[in-house]
Amino acid sequence: MGVCTLTSFAQPSAPAQPASAAGKVGTWSKNHPYRAEVNQRLKHQDKRIHEEVADGKLSHAQATKLHKEDRQVEQEEKDMASQDHGHITRQEKKTLNQQENKINHQIGQ
């Protein structure tokens, strides 16, 4: 019923690229520990949003808004990683976690 999903988290990472391609966009390391933590949280939040809609605790409009906010965090994470060969720093992870915390508090209110 119109609720979008964040399925990009479940996709396997691309095969390793030659060293000459390391600086190109799209050769990010999705398995970097900080990235994995951020993306796992986003995936968990996506699941919680779907559960809250199924339980009638969130409307489809509220879920759509929350999914949009999650996608913005996901895009910011990708943008950060593209700046540093697939890695994000501890401070970037902290920033993303703070954004996820704000979204998390909106789920199930």
Side-chain angles (χ1 to χ4, degrees), residues 1 3 5 7 18 23 32 48 50-51 53 57 60 63 72 76-78 83-85 96-97 102-104 108:
M1 305 212 233
V3 177
T5 62
T7 58
H32 184 268
R48 284 188 55 224
H50 286 286
E51 289 171 354
V53 170
K57 296 178 182 175
H60 288 288
Q72 290 171 338
E76 186 171 352
E77 182 270 336
K78 287 179 181 179
Q83 304 280 324
D84 190 17
H85 305 292
L96 293 167
N97 277 329
K102 288 179 185 177
I103 297 166
N104 187 50

Side-chain angles (χ1 to χ4, degrees), residues 35-51:
R35 292 192 73 192
E37 181 181 324
V38 169
N39 286 322
Q40 182 60 37
R41 256 194 98 184
L42 286 168
K43 183 178 178 179
H44 179 72
Q45 283 185 177
D46 180 62
K47 180 181 175 190
R48 284 188 55 224
I49 292 167
H50 286 286
E51 289 171 354

Side-chain angles (χ1 to χ4, degrees), residues 35-100:
R35 292 192 73 192
E37 181 181 324
V38 169
N39 286 322
Q40 182 60 37
R41 256 194 98 184
L42 286 168
K43 183 178 178 179
H44 179 72
Q45 283 185 177
D46 180 62
K47 180 181 175 190
R48 284 188 55 224
I49 292 167
H50 286 286
E51 289 171 354
E52 294 290 317
V53 170
D55 291 344
K57 296 178 182 175
L58 281 177
S59 70
H60 288 288
Q62 291 169 315
T64 299
K65 177 185 174 286
L66 293 169
H67 283 303
K68 180 179 178 185
E69 291 177 23
D70 270 349
R71 281 192 312 275
Q72 290 171 338
V73 174
E74 177 187 23
Q75 185 59 52
E76 186 171 352
E77 182 270 336
K78 287 179 181 179
D79 293 343
M80 288 174 173
S82 72
Q83 304 280 324
D84 190 17
H85 305 292
H87 300 144
I88 61 173
T89 66
R90 181 175 290 162
Q91 181 58 47
E92 288 169 334
K93 181 186 84 153
K94 181 179 177 182
T95 299
L96 293 167
N97 277 329
Q98 289 171 340
Q99 292 173 10
E100 289 175 331

